[in-house]
Amino acid sequence: MTVDTVKNAENTPDQEQPYKELGLKDDEYARIKEILGRRPTDAELAMYSVMWSEHCSYKSSKVHLKYFSDTTTDEMRAKMLAGIGENAGVVDIGDGWAITFKAESHNHPSYVEPYQGAATGVGGIVRDILAMGARPLAVMDPLRFGPADAPDTRRVLPGIVAGVGGYGNCLGLPNIGGEVVFDATYAGNPLVNALCVGAMRVEDLHLAHASGTGNKVILFGARTGLDGIGGVSVLASETFDDSAGAGKRKKLPSVQVGDPFTEKVLIECCLELFAQRIVVGIQDLGGAGLACATSELASAGDGGMHVYLDRVPLRATGMTPAEILSSESQERMCAVVRPEDLDAFMAVCRKWDVIATEIGEVTEGDRLVITWHDEVVLDVPPRTVAHEGPVYNRPIERPADQDALQADTPDRLPKPARDELLDLVKTMAASPNLASKRWVTQQYDRYVRGGTVLAQPADSGMIRIDESTHRGVALSTDCNGRYTKLDPYAGAQLALAEAYRNVATTGATPVAVTNCLNFGSPEDPAVMWQFERAVKGLADGCVALGIPVTGGNVSFYNQTGSTAILPTPVVGVLGVIDDVRRRIPTGIGAEAGETLLLLGETRAEFGGSEWAHVVHGHLGGLPPEVDLAREKLLGEVLVAGSRDGMLSAAHDLSDGGLAQALVETCLIGEVGARVFLEGDLFTELFSESTARVLVAVPRTEELRFTDMCTARGLPWRKVGVVDPESDALEIQELGSLPLAELREAWEGTLPALFD
Amino acid sequence: MARVVVDVMPKPEILDPQGQAVANALPRLGFDGITSVRQGKHFELEVADDVDDATLAKIAETFLANPVIEDWVVRRVEA
Amino acid sequence: MRVGVITFPGTLDDVDAERAVRYAGGEAVKLWHADHDLKDVDAVIVPGGFSYGDYLRCGAIARFAPVMQEVVDAAKKGMPVLGICNGFQILCEAHLLPGALIRNHKLHFVCRDQWLKVENNATAWTTRYDQGAEILVPLKSGEGGYQADQSTLDELEGEGRVVFRYVGENPNGSRNNIAGITSANGRVVGLMPHPEHAIDALTGPTDDGLGMFLSLVDSVVKA
């Protein structure tokens, strides 16, 4: 086959190239020509187009994301070992341990092929964590779907759940949390976000760079095939427009198939390589495959790089250099190794039956040069590929209907009569967003590795990091897209506040933030406005709480036609707990004689609430008020309560309000409670005012705990008692709900829809 | 009644971890000379005489196989 | 008291099995799939996971691993062997235990806390339990349905070789609600649920599973 070489490109300056089909704009193509001083080769065009795509270059979001680092103070940065720009953020949690965590989206692939899309989403984020030098320890998956009863949801949800489970279970990583949320805007645009957390000793942190002239570049893991190169196949058809094979390939779907077994072996192989200290730099291969890995490794190092592309082990025949560079075959890593360590490196790979190939070396100078059977097919300054891509200042415009949306408050909605409230508790508990997600989570292994202290349906997932000191971490991801639609700035802060509160509710101190920002098209000024406001809100919120954003991910173009998804900035908060044995569980009834206290204040806040959504299908008004100072105080009180053993259970109040929190804490604890409320009972039960937590306090600790709340200025109120003898949730003045009936309502919904 | 066989195989360009695992094990078990293994699914359907080929093709395409990642072949065989 | 824990490529619960051995006072010894070497251990645990990806059939490739040939020989001489989940599947494929495990009847992977009834407390791995006791341990598997022909089932039941039975709703379609069985001499035990994930109420539903590892330590000390 003939291959488009640099020499050929110099000789054929006027050859037409399919840059538009590859997603490049006229000015972007012109800039590539300017950088190179000639037209790009096919391989160069493939590399630039994929690296300058929205997904890899963050060209629409970059100018806004800068606000995260601009607002991060030195004090917030104190515990950060690596931040935005690395594969994943890294935080020092004490005792010599560093934690790395990150979330990523795999939305569109999961709509096309739910099982494999979700599976490879898990695989990708796990390799990101591995590439930091850490052992991946747990995953969690925030998911969004169309209406629970929509036919397409029946196709998409079971496939995605099975894919998340199939891959994660086979990898041996416990799934400790996440979300399952239904909303009509996600029909056709399900969101599959995957988060992974890993741990390492502080001194073992690996950053991706290719340093040291003469060092070898090793590609190891799976072979490279035609996975996910659908986009680049236009090049093949241009170059070989008369060959039947090229025509056939043009129809290739951009689907990748994951092999979790290969990834598990790759993890163990990498960890053994790290332990032997024979890896200078390491990079995972994800989106944009080798194009991304080679250009990022080279641009982060202190020299150039030469890659012999014909050495890459292939799974398919007749692949072109452009295809090899842009293949998204899974379960591959790229390492930089000193020549003297090469034998040891290969020996470890042989032990684990991992294919490893020396594909290049670090060179003097500052060029990334790729050859194909001795002919140069790519010769570029790597920074121009990886870091100096186009940056857009997209138009931003507050949507014309935003005022009308906010003016349409839930005040006009008819409220339930007093004698309807008890039934409403049950109806709400059975509604898809509030119903038990057990049907989903019981397909995930939560126990493997023996470190899981808390998992779904706990407020946050918690894992033990150190078996001798009992130090551990807690993680929660949250986002209410309806709140964010009503007010993107406040909505992002509410997502942050809830994740922060969830972590504190289990007794851990929140220390760091990651995000996965899912939005519609950046070419829509209204979407860009949502995005800009959400980023500002999240960053300002982090400053108020004093914890840094250590990394994140942006997913644009989540829309069907002109209808975008609810803006969904998923926020993940990491917390540290000195001793996981002091964790606070979610279910009541662990201690004999507990008092139920409601911490925080309740106002009549129903804008964007689950009640307005379920009962009236209404979305309008303003979301609940944000009070980050109060969230911080609440967090401190919860952590103090955990440390001093004053709390026997705690559960965050969020979607569905106090009613839902009561239902869940009783059902999880398998014990009844008697509740007495004051004021307007509808507001008491269903308002979604934030900065509130329901806690159970052993009677012996009640006074000590309430004195502490009073002294610190945290409002508290006694709302009931746990009744170990009772098998019902009794709400004074309203009546009694048998737990069996509540359980049927809460746990019956998802099996009825998806079994 | 007739017997219809539907064979579903991963598309050639799609990674087949199952087949790969078998192929990798064979040399370890002392069987040499097998260069590639691909693993698929084999369905046997007992079909009434009035079910036409178009219907069978639709069953294969929309249900038995996932056309995104799999190819399929429908064959009528002697009962 | 040296207890070997085998690691195949794709094994996941080896770290948990090793921890359980340590909690019971034994010394956990790592065994590698490719070695013809049991390192002088007194007993072997074949832990859970997805050996070699479990793509062909669960346990089908692992049974041919060099280390398994040693395990089969040692088991025939009376060495206590415990197969958990994938380990149970491997022991069945290796014919150390009769029957086979097939896909769960509801087709989904199931991870849940499962009550088991102890039906035989005379094996090398169950002497710490009272006959008829009920224990709560995690079950997590996609192919956990125990199957055997009727004569094999009759033989297992007749000889009291069913060690654990599921209590309540059958989670995977196992015949006779069988969760675990033993060899004729009571030295080899295989079960689908995971006692090694129930050795501490902090990280498991209970510490009910620890009894299996304590039983082993007892039996070898006595022997």
Side-chain angles (χ1 to χ4, degrees):
Chain A
M1 78 184 161
T2 54
V3 165
D4 189 22
T5 60
V6 167
K7 198 175 281 172
N8 185 44
E10 281 164 352
N11 293 337
T12 55
D14 301 323
Q15 185 178 307
E16 293 271 317
Q17 292 191 284
Y19 62 89
K20 279 187 182 154
E21 289 88 330
L22 292 169
L24 288 168
K25 301 272 189 287
D26 290 334
D27 58 330
E28 291 172 347
Y29 180 62
R31 210 178 127 219
I32 294 169
K33 293 218 285 204
E34 190 189 317
I35 290 168
L36 299 176
R38 55 174 165 77
R39 78 156 173 91
T41 64
D42 281 354
E44 288 164 343
L45 191 59
M47 183 180 269
Y48 275 104
S49 67
V50 69
M51 290 301 291
W52 284 10
S53 69
E54 188 64 59
H55 179 67
C56 291
S57 73
Y58 290 72
K59 57 188 168 190
S60 302
S61 54
K62 223 175 203 170
V63 290
H64 303 291
L65 297 178
K66 197 170 160 289
Y67 191 69
F68 284 126
S69 31
D70 289 351
T71 51
T72 306
T73 62
D74 286 346
E75 201 185 340
M76 288 159 73
R77 212 171 261 131
K79 296 266 171 70
M80 241 166 92
L81 302 174
I84 297 166
E86 299 297 341
N87 278 313
V90 183
V91 185
D92 186 338
I93 63 154
D95 286 355
W97 287 102
I99 294 293
T100 177
F101 73 125
K102 190 188 178 187
E104 219 168 52
S105 64
H106 223 221
N107 303 339
H108 186 63
S110 304
Y111 177 66
V112 177
E113 210 318 280
Y115 185 97
Q116 295 295 346
T120 51
V122 175
I125 193 66
V126 168
R127 285 193 301 282
D128 269 326
I129 295 306
L130 184 59
M132 300 307 291
R135 173 179 276 285
L137 288 178
V139 292
M140 46 209 290
D141 294 86
L143 307 175
R144 302 286 187 285
F145 301 100
D149 54 0
D152 197 49
T153 303
R154 275 193 73 91
R155 169 186 77 94
V156 170
L157 183 143
I160 285 174
V161 170
V164 167
Y167 203 98
N169 296 345
C170 188
L171 265 193
L173 292 178
N175 194 311
I176 58 169
E179 304 157 79
V180 177
V181 179
F182 302 96
D183 187 272
T185 63
Y186 303 115
N189 284 284
L191 302 186
V192 175
N193 294 176
L195 181 146
C196 183
V197 57
M200 70 196 114
R201 302 300 295 172
V202 169
E203 62 272 19
D204 291 340
L205 176 61
H206 278 75
L207 298 181
H209 54 76
S211 297
T213 301
N215 283 346
K216 303 300 181 190
V217 180
I218 315 287
L219 176 65
F220 61 120
R223 289 173 182 273
T224 299
L226 291 162
D227 310 69
I229 60 163
V232 185
S233 52
V234 298
L235 278 172
S237 60
E238 280 294 315
T239 318
F240 310 101
D241 50 359
D242 53 350
S243 91
K248 191 172 159 202
R249 270 197 216 158
K250 196 169 178 179
K251 291 190 216 104
L252 266 188
S254 348
V255 172
Q256 308 119 38
V257 172
D259 178 0
F261 165 67
T262 296
E263 179 121 325
K264 166 67 180 173
V265 170
L266 196 56
I267 291 173
E268 299 303 330
C269 178
C270 280
L271 291 170
E272 196 164 327
L273 291 168
F274 296 154
Q276 294 192 16
R277 305 196 173 278
I278 47 180
V279 176
V280 176
I282 188 155
Q283 171 86 40
D284 63 300
L285 272 70
L290 269 173
C292 178
T294 53
S295 61
E296 287 198 346
L297 273 173
S299 65
D302 52 12
M305 189 189 284
H306 185 158
V307 173
Y308 306 86
L309 206 58
D310 46 282
R311 295 183 187 173
V312 172
L314 301 179
R315 213 178 66 230
T317 51
M319 287 181 74
T320 66
E323 288 172 338
I324 295 168
L325 280 173
S326 35
S327 162
E328 296 193 341
S329 288
Q330 302 290 298
E331 292 96 23
R332 298 178 299 162
M333 302 285 282
C334 210
V336 177
V337 182
R338 287 177 294 265
E340 60 269 30
D341 293 329
L342 202 58
D343 287 346
F345 187 101
M346 292 301 181
V348 172
C349 290
R350 266 195 308 278
K351 173 185 166 187
W352 288 98
D353 277 326
V354 167
I355 302 170
T357 313
E358 183 196 325
I359 59 162
E361 66 237 346
V362 178
T363 56
E364 282 187 35
D366 56 2
R367 305 288 286 190
L368 170 61
V369 175
I370 295 183
T371 51
W372 176 254
H373 298 292
D374 298 330
E375 290 196 279
V376 178
V377 294
L378 182 143
D379 182 353
V380 301
R383 282 198 65 82
T384 64
V385 178
H387 297 294
E388 290 160 12
V391 175
Y392 288 155
N393 252 309
R394 302 259 192 209
I396 290 176
E397 198 180 310
R398 191 169 191 266
D401 57 2
Q402 193 73 22
D403 286 339
L405 183 71
Q406 294 185 343
D408 177 24
T409 71
D411 295 347
R412 67 171 172 85
L413 304 174
K415 306 292 185 295
R418 202 180 176 84
D419 61 1
E420 294 170 333
L421 286 173
L422 214 50
D423 262 354
L424 187 57
V425 171
K426 215 166 69 180
T427 310
M428 292 296 291
S431 66
N433 283 338
L434 299 184
S436 164
K437 301 304 181 304
R438 196 177 131 93
W439 187 91
V440 171
T441 57
Q442 78 168 4
Q443 297 186 47
Y444 304 155
D445 183 349
R446 63 173 55 195
Y447 286 114
V448 64
R449 299 202 66 77
T452 307
V453 176
L454 294 172
Q456 320 84 346
D459 287 82
S460 64
M462 186 181 286
I463 47 173
R464 178 175 58 192
I465 299 298
D466 191 313
E467 289 195 40
S468 54
T469 66
H470 304 283
R471 184 171 292 267
V473 296
L475 269 160
S476 176
T477 68
D478 289 286
C479 178
N480 186 318
R482 292 193 309 268
Y483 293 170
T484 315
K485 170 87 176 173
L486 297 178
D487 181 343
Y489 184 90
Q493 295 200 333
L494 288 166
L496 170 68
E498 188 181 348
Y500 184 96
R501 196 183 323 126
N502 275 328
V503 162
T505 298
T506 55
T509 304
V511 294
V513 177
T514 192
N515 61 63
C516 195
L517 309 173
N518 307 273
F519 287 78
S521 167
E523 294 164 40
D524 178 346
V527 169
M528 271 323 279
W529 175 78
Q530 292 174 333
F531 182 78
E532 188 268 345
R533 296 310 299 156
V535 167
K536 285 258 160 64
L538 180 54
D540 292 346
C542 286
V543 173
L545 292 171
I547 53 176
V549 172
T550 62
N553 177 257
V554 178
S555 171
F556 279 131
Y557 297 102
N558 295 290
Q559 59 180 57
T560 309
S562 62
T563 310
I565 57 163
L566 291 176
T568 313
V570 172
V571 178
V573 169
L574 174 81
V576 180
I577 182 163
D578 299 342
D579 185 343
V580 291
R581 294 171 299 181
R582 293 254 184 240
R583 80 212 177 280
I584 312 174
T586 308
I588 53 174
E591 305 256 343
E594 292 168 316
T595 300
L596 290 172
L597 304 175
L598 178 60
L599 311 182
E601 288 169 293
T602 307
R603 294 170 292 268
E605 293 181 289
F606 292 97
S609 69
E610 205 60 45
W611 168 77
H613 176 69
V614 171
V615 177
H616 298 286
H618 174 267
L619 176 59
L622 288 172
E625 193 182 317
V626 181
D627 186 346
L628 294 173
R630 174 64 61 77
E631 299 282 3
K632 202 169 174 179
L633 173 63
L634 183 60
E636 286 166 8
V637 165
L638 288 163
V639 170
S642 144
R643 198 183 47 233
D644 295 345
M646 289 188 275
L647 299 175
S648 50
H651 194 18
D652 142 74
L653 266 63
S654 54
D655 305 349
L658 177 63
Q660 184 65 17
L662 286 167
V663 168
E664 290 175 1
T665 197
C666 286
L667 291 178
I668 294 166
E670 299 179 4
V671 63
R674 283 197 310 279
V675 177
F676 23 93
L677 304 172
E678 52 199 50
D680 174 46
L681 292 186
F682 169 67
T683 300
E684 286 282 296
L685 285 169
F686 297 103
S687 164
E688 296 185 3
S689 294
T690 64
R692 295 185 300 161
V693 168
L694 180 70
V695 297
V697 187
R699 226 141 278 167
T700 49
E701 301 291 339
E702 190 176 333
L703 194 61
R704 187 157 73 112
F705 183 75
T706 52
D707 278 355
M708 178 178 73
C709 291
T710 306
R712 293 195 176 209
L714 179 67
W716 60 273
R717 190 149 54 88
K718 191 165 168 171
V719 292
V721 291
V722 178
D723 184 354
E725 303 302 313
S726 157
D727 52 6
L729 170 60
E730 186 191 326
I731 304 173
Q732 217 170 64
E733 294 179 49
L734 294 182
S736 184
L737 285 162
L739 293 189
E741 218 173 280
L742 277 176
R743 189 175 297 282
E744 201 184 314
W746 189 53
E747 291 184 352
T749 303
L750 261 55
L753 285 164
F754 299 110
D755 254 344
Chain B
M1 295 291 280
R3 170 164 293 183
V4 169
V5 168
V6 181
D7 286 313
V8 176
M9 294 296 291
K11 287 187 179 179
E13 67 271 17
I14 293 280
L15 174 68
D16 172 21
Q18 296 92 330
Q20 191 172 289
V22 175
N24 291 343
L26 287 171
R28 281 202 304 270
L29 304 182
F31 299 107
D32 291 321
I34 287 94
T35 54
S36 166
V37 177
R38 294 186 75 75
Q39 181 178 324
K41 294 180 199 133
H42 176 92
F43 298 87
E44 294 180 356
L45 289 69
E46 301 303 325
V47 171
D49 294 334
D50 59 349
V51 178
D52 62 11
D53 287 357
T55 305
L56 291 171
K58 196 171 174 196
I59 290 170
E61 178 175 359
T62 59
F63 184 47
L64 301 182
N66 176 354
V68 178
I69 52 174
E70 291 168 329
D71 289 331
W72 64 94
V73 177
V74 181
R75 285 182 286 138
R76 286 182 184 269
V77 298
E78 297 305 313
Chain C
M1 173 70 212
R2 289 164 59 83
V3 182
V5 176
I6 300 179
T7 300
F8 301 95
T11 293
L12 306 178
D13 299 312
D14 44 356
V15 286
D16 300 86
E18 288 162 17
R19 187 186 296 114
V21 168
R22 289 197 305 273
Y23 272 44
E27 181 195 347
V29 178
K30 288 174 186 291
L31 302 178
W32 181 241
H33 75 116
D35 295 341
H36 276 285
D37 185 1
L38 293 187
K39 298 187 181 170
D40 294 321
V41 295
D42 303 300
V44 170
I45 297 174
V46 190
F50 294 78
S51 51
Y52 306 96
D54 268 352
Y55 288 126
L56 175 60
R57 208 169 54 247
C58 297
I61 295 178
R63 69 165 282 209
F64 292 107
V67 76
M68 278 308 295
Q69 291 167 27
E70 305 302 317
V71 170
V72 169
D73 290 346
K76 283 178 180 157
K77 292 176 196 152
M79 180 184 280
V81 178
L82 175 65
I84 304 169
C85 196
N86 191 219
F88 184 19
Q89 295 162 339
I90 293 168
L91 296 185
C92 289
E93 286 279 342
H95 305 305
L96 284 176
L97 293 171
L101 284 308
I102 67 163
R103 193 134 182 233
N104 293 351
H105 63 326
K106 286 187 181 168
L107 305 180
H108 295 301
F109 184 96
V110 170
C111 175
R112 68 184 221 189
D113 300 338
Q114 177 69 46
W115 285 100
L116 304 178
K117 188 172 178 198
V118 180
E119 298 269 351
N120 177 344
N121 71 344
T123 77
W125 300 88
T126 52
T127 50
R128 282 280 184 128
Y129 298 107
D130 291 331
Q131 185 79 16
E134 293 192 354
I135 63 173
L136 183 67
V137 299
L139 173 73
K140 39 162 222 177
S141 44
E143 305 195 15
Y146 183 75
Q147 297 293 322
D149 59 37
Q150 194 57 49
S151 64
T152 306
L153 285 173
D154 292 345
E155 189 184 321
L156 287 173
E157 295 287 358
E159 295 175 4
R161 285 167 56 193
V162 174
V163 181
F164 297 105
R165 225 184 281 276
Y166 297 117
V167 176
E169 191 195 355
N170 187 327
N172 49 25
S174 279
R175 294 197 69 180
N176 295 17
N177 293 316
I178 288 173
I181 57 173
T182 186
S183 57
N185 65 359
R187 308 292 281 174
V188 180
V189 168
L191 79 167
M192 284 312 295
H194 288 263
E196 84 283 20
H197 289 322
I199 57 168
D200 180 348
L202 178 69
T203 51
T206 60
D207 60 2
D208 290 352
L210 192 57
M212 292 197 75
F213 306 93
L214 292 167
S215 300
L216 172 77
V217 173
D218 291 351
S219 80
V220 176
V221 169
K222 278 181 207 142

